[in-house]
Amino acid sequence: MWNLKNKYALITGGTKGIGKATVMEFLELGAEVLFTARDETEVRALEKELKAKKYKVSGLVADVTKPEDRNKINSFIEGNWKKLNILVNNAGTNIRKPARSYTEAEFRKVTEVNLIAPFELSRKMNPWLAASGSASIINVASSAAMQDVGTGVPYAMSKAGLLQQTRSLASEWAEEDIRVNAVSPWFTKTPLTDGYLDQPEKLEAILRRTPMKRVAEAKEMASVIAFLAMEKSSYITGQNIVVDGGMSINAL
């Protein structure tokens, strides 16, 4: 059972960072994967690379904030799988600035990607998840959902909302044998954090707060996501697994 054989998985934001690491982890564990991203060049390049390794994988160019693209994802599953075992709501974005500096369009964009899109996609995928007989949704949240870590208010509040979405859907959909959990990373090496972590004073502050004295690798998040997708975690739902190198317990 320490594998994902015969499982069908949808991973959003699958061409970079934690999403790409999760795609790789799932494929290595035997799942068949559909990953999405907005950049067609990146989607096609990764799909070609993975298919050359004989993995069962498909890439779809899709923006999960758009209803027509969520319909495109639905059409793929209807035409190919007829069920879905795992949904990883990983696609996310951020704009870092002081609260008063955001335009309405900017904070709405962050909220749409990080909070509204996972809810809408989860609802869209519900019939396929229920049809699988045993399904798992994993939402990629953030340490910023639980305390201020300087990521900006819209990001923090959207990820906090994602945690409550996780708990509420877990309770509502348990009767359909759909588990819903979240993973909350601390700073992880991804394209989204590269510019931030390249600043020595920022990195020093992060490492000072983190008992393990390093930032995470994307694959370290992917392994926790994979566990929550497995039958081995069959009695875990509505939970948030904090993967932060001990940051949240380090009071001094």
Side-chain angles (χ1 to χ4, degrees), residues 146-186:
M146 295 159 285
Q147 53 199 297
D148 179 48
V149 294
T151 56
V153 175
Y155 183 84
M157 67 186 193
S158 65
K159 292 297 188 178
L162 187 60
L163 291 186
Q164 187 55 47
Q165 181 183 139
T166 298
R167 291 185 281 262
S168 296
L169 283 183
S171 180
E172 183 176 325
W173 288 356
E175 63 184 24
E176 298 179 87
D177 290 322
I178 300 171
R179 296 184 297 112
V180 189
N181 291 290
V183 172
S184 283
W186 178 223

Side-chain angles (χ1 to χ4, degrees), residues 36-38 60-78 112 117 120-121 124-125:
T36 70
R38 292 175 297 174
L60 198 63
V61 180
D63 180 343
V64 289
T65 66
K66 296 180 178 179
E68 61 269 27
D69 284 7
R70 294 194 295 268
N71 288 337
K72 188 194 300 185
I73 295 168
N74 187 71
S75 294
F76 176 94
I77 294 172
E78 183 176 24
E112 283 284 342
E120 292 285 34
L121 188 58
K124 191 78 174 178
M125 295 297 105

Side-chain angles (χ1 to χ4, degrees), residues 48-94:
K48 182 179 179 180
E49 174 191 336
L50 296 174
K51 283 190 172 182
K53 297 178 181 178
K54 307 302 181 184
Y55 286 124
K56 294 180 179 178
V57 63
S58 297
L60 198 63
V61 180
D63 180 343
V64 289
T65 66
K66 296 180 178 179
E68 61 269 27
D69 284 7
R70 294 194 295 268
N71 288 337
K72 188 194 300 185
I73 295 168
N74 187 71
S75 294
F76 176 94
I77 294 172
E78 183 176 24
N80 293 275
W81 294 346
K82 300 290 192 297
K83 66 177 182 177
L84 182 65
N85 300 100
I86 306 156
L87 167 60
V88 181
N89 284 311
N90 167 74
T93 193
N94 194 17

Side-chain angles (χ1 to χ4, degrees), residues 64-235:
V64 289
T65 66
K66 296 180 178 179
E68 61 269 27
D69 284 7
R70 294 194 295 268
N71 288 337
K72 188 194 300 185
I73 295 168
N74 187 71
S75 294
F76 176 94
I77 294 172
E78 183 176 24
N80 293 275
W81 294 346
K82 300 290 192 297
K83 66 177 182 177
L84 182 65
N85 300 100
I86 306 156
L87 167 60
V88 181
N89 284 311
N90 167 74
T93 193
N94 194 17
I95 301 169
R96 291 185 179 88
K97 57 171 63 178
R100 292 173 59 190
S101 299
Y102 287 91
T103 65
E104 182 176 347
E106 286 174 333
F107 74 71
R108 286 188 181 278
K109 176 184 177 181
V110 173
T111 304
E112 283 284 342
V113 175
N114 295 347
L115 178 62
I116 306 302
F119 181 57
E120 292 285 34
L121 188 58
S122 295
R123 294 201 303 157
K124 191 78 174 178
M125 295 297 105
N126 172 272
W128 303 120
L129 293 161
S132 73
S134 178
S136 179
I137 298 174
I138 302 99
N139 294 319
V140 179
S142 171
S143 294
M146 295 159 285
Q147 53 199 297
D148 179 48
V149 294
T151 56
V153 175
Y155 183 84
M157 67 186 193
S158 65
K159 292 297 188 178
L162 187 60
L163 291 186
Q164 187 55 47
Q165 181 183 139
T166 298
R167 291 185 281 262
S168 296
L169 283 183
S171 180
E172 183 176 325
W173 288 356
E175 63 184 24
E176 298 179 87
D177 290 322
I178 300 171
R179 296 184 297 112
V180 189
N181 291 290
V183 172
S184 283
W186 178 223
F187 277 97
T188 304
K189 294 178 185 177
T190 71
L192 192 63
T193 61
D194 279 348
Y196 194 84
L197 295 176
D198 285 343
Q199 302 174 58
E201 71 281 5
K202 302 289 188 184
L203 180 60
E204 194 278 330
I206 292 165
L207 298 182
R208 186 171 63 246
R209 182 67 193 273
T210 308
M212 292 184 72
K213 300 304 178 190
R214 64 178 178 85
V215 298
E217 300 289 340
K219 63 184 180 181
E220 293 178 300
M221 303 302 154
S223 61
V224 180
I225 293 168
F227 169 67
L228 291 173
M230 289 180 188
E231 296 298 334
K232 282 291 186 182
S233 62
S234 58
Y235 203 55

